[in-house]
Amino acid sequence: NDATYAAAARTSDGKTIIAYTPNSRTLTVDLRKISGTTAVAWWFNPRDGSSQRIGTFATTGLQNFTTPTNANWVLVVDDEAANFQAPGQ
């Protein structure tokens, strides 16, 4: 696996950012790209469909997120006001 590979996207309304990485690494996300004033972040495990809530963050700048293990992970960051369910629900 290429240690520098990550694929990311943002919804056109700015309510969600997703980023996929195939290996262990730290992803830096510009939370100012989220539409609301606070964001909720999750690690989604595509291997079993489970989610782990990371926390809530102010959308004022850059935030680092480090994968929980050395495997495939999807980082999901949502506008907290959108009140979306956990990824995979």
Side-chain angles (χ1 to χ4, degrees):
N1 288 339
D2 183 353
T4 63
Y5 175 79
R10 182 179 75 99
T11 58
S12 60
D13 62 7
K15 293 188 185 300
T16 300
I17 294 171
I18 60 170
Y20 166 77
T21 182
N23 49 33
S24 179
R25 66 179 297 172
T26 298
L27 300 172
T28 301
V29 177
D30 185 350
L31 294 181
R32 293 172 292 196
K33 302 296 183 183
I34 290 289
S35 59
T37 58
T38 56
V40 61
W42 305 83
W43 283 115
F44 175 73
N45 181 340
R47 298 172 309 284
D48 65 13
S50 66
S51 296
Q52 300 174 30
R53 185 181 172 120
I54 302 168
T56 303
F57 304 88
T59 56
T60 56
L62 301 178
Q63 179 68 46
N64 291 328
F65 299 97
T66 302
T67 56
T69 63
N70 188 20
N72 295 313
W73 287 100
V74 178
L75 175 66
V76 179
V77 183
D78 293 322
D79 177 345
E80 186 178 35
N83 203 30
F84 294 138
Q85 292 183 345
Q89 299 301 308

